[in-house]
Structures are given as C-alpha cells and as structure tokens.
Amino acid sequence: MAENTVKLCEWCEENTAHAHQSSVYWELPDGSRAVQIANVPGLSCSHCGMEYQEESIINEIEDQLMLIDTRLIDKVISYKELMALPRLLKKNYFRF
C-alpha cells in the first residue's frame, strides 16, 4: 500500500485510514509466551484514532507463527525478520 493512499477505516467507516507501521504483541500458538513484533504494516485512522492490521496481515503472521520454530524468536522481532524465518511446512494446513 502506498504511504499516501487513503482507505476506508474498518472501524468508523470514514475514508481517513492511512498506511502505518506499529508494534504489536502476539501470543505464540503454543501459548508459552507473547512476543513483540515491530514495524508491522497496518492502518491508522485520522478520524477515530484506531490503529489496526488488515486481515491479510493478521493471517500472514498467524500462519508464519504456526509454520516456524518459535524457539528462534526473541522477545522482540521485526515483521520482516519474522516473515523471513524458514518454515517447517510449506503452508498452514489448518486454514481452510
């Protein structure tokens, strides 16, 4: 998404959401701990103030966490580093 592209906000439904990167906290699939993922692509709405990730990004993160050796992740990892980690399986067979 281009930095200056304006989108419809999923929360307030105003055409005021812009590309934004933020840190998010995610519980690992095994429930053992949570990690901080930095510089995650998302949207920020200038009308309602909501910052969020689109469903496609959420699915990418969840799939990657299911398919990698999570012991390789420290307490903080960047989105790009997370997505570059080698997968143990080619895809998430639990996503239909």
Side-chain angles (χ1 to χ4, degrees), residues 29-77:
D30 66 2
S32 62
R33 62 190 173 106
V35 295
Q36 179 182 351
I37 307 170
N39 303 317
V40 178
L43 296 169
S44 177
C45 179
S46 59
H47 183 261
C48 70
M50 185 62 79
E51 293 182 7
Y52 61 96
Q53 283 66 46
E54 292 178 293
E55 193 72 26
S56 61
I57 297 294
I58 292 168
N59 288 340
E60 285 180 9
I61 291 171
E62 288 179 349
D63 285 350
Q64 186 71 349
L65 290 174
M66 288 286 292
L67 300 172
I68 63 171
D69 181 355
T70 57
R71 295 174 294 179
L72 301 174
I73 303 173
D74 280 329
K75 293 178 182 178
V76 180
I77 188 169

Side-chain angles (χ1 to χ4, degrees), residues 5-19 43-50 52 54:
T5 302
V6 178
K7 292 187 78 174
L8 185 68
C9 176
E10 292 179 17
W11 296 90
C12 70
E13 299 182 346
E14 293 291 327
N15 202 25
T16 52
H18 301 275
L43 296 169
S44 177
C45 179
S46 59
H47 183 261
C48 70
M50 185 62 79
Y52 61 96
E54 292 178 293

